[in-house]
Amino acid sequence: MNPRVLLTLGLMLSAASQADEATLVLSSGSEPVTLVELFTSEGCNSCPPADRHLSSLTNDDGLWRDYVPLAFHVDYWDYLGWRDRFADADYSDRQRRYALEGGVRVVYTPGFFAGGKEWRNWRRDGLPAEASGMPGVLRAEVTADTVNVHWDGNGADAQPLASVALLGMALSSSVKAGENRGKKLRHDFVVLDVRSASLIPVEDGYAVSALLPESSVDAEQFAIAVWVTDGQTQAPLQATGGYLPAR
């Protein structure tokens, strides 16, 4: 698994080449959609309540429309005796980069971010505050193993970057060691793989065609999350997402 792998860039596939395949269309709309990120670990005994809170968002009307949830499992607690099968060093590095960019003072779990900013009051607030601004419409078309991304927002002076994550739903682990020994943990919105590519300027914004991330993990349901950044920091500018059809 190689998250954030730069892909061969290309423009949208022609409609003729896709005519015989079903296409899933996801769109943010013109209003800002908040990317909600949870940095968590099965080796951390403080994380299960945060995991449950993220899972509760599956029942909220704002899912995919107002916010897109992600659970990045970090690997820096694996030394406590339990190796989290969903953890990846790149996800730990993502959290550390937030610290370097000033989004958080220290790296810890469970750690929530909303719109690239630390969100400490998740227990009290329930849902992240509504984002403001006009970030542009982010649209993703998923056909077979391809994701065509289009964004009509303003990339400023940098080349914007699009990221696509494959999410696993209703995943569980019976933990046999470490701080959560003896517990059966359930997870939703688990990031199983991430791929990123620079967006190419087109007449009406930016576009790129990328491969859909893959995973050997067996899940009851999969989802996809797509977001764009300015290419200089990892703070999201706009996001969209949704459930994938059954495989």
Side-chain angles (χ1 to χ4, degrees), residues 77-89:
W77 294 125
D78 286 359
Y79 78 94
L80 294 177
W82 178 253
R83 185 176 180 83
D84 188 335
R85 66 189 178 110
F86 305 118
D88 192 287

Side-chain angles (χ1 to χ4, degrees), residues 52-74:
R52 289 192 292 270
H53 182 72
L54 198 72
S55 292
S56 72
L57 301 183
T58 60
N59 300 316
D60 191 87
D61 292 339
L63 178 63
W64 311 127
R65 182 193 66 203
D66 300 326
Y67 51 82
V68 174
L70 303 170
F72 287 102
H73 284 237
V74 299

Side-chain angles (χ1 to χ4, degrees), residues 191-210:
V191 177
L192 301 176
D193 191 18
V194 182
R195 294 178 178 179
S196 301
S198 295
L199 286 158
I200 300 172
V202 294
E203 183 177 355
D204 56 349
Y206 300 87
V208 70
S209 179

Side-chain angles (χ1 to χ4, degrees), residues 119-137:
W119 179 33
R120 283 186 171 270
N121 295 326
W122 56 272
R123 291 182 180 85
R124 183 185 67 190
D125 296 344
L127 296 173
E130 292 184 6
S132 59
M134 298 296 291
V137 177

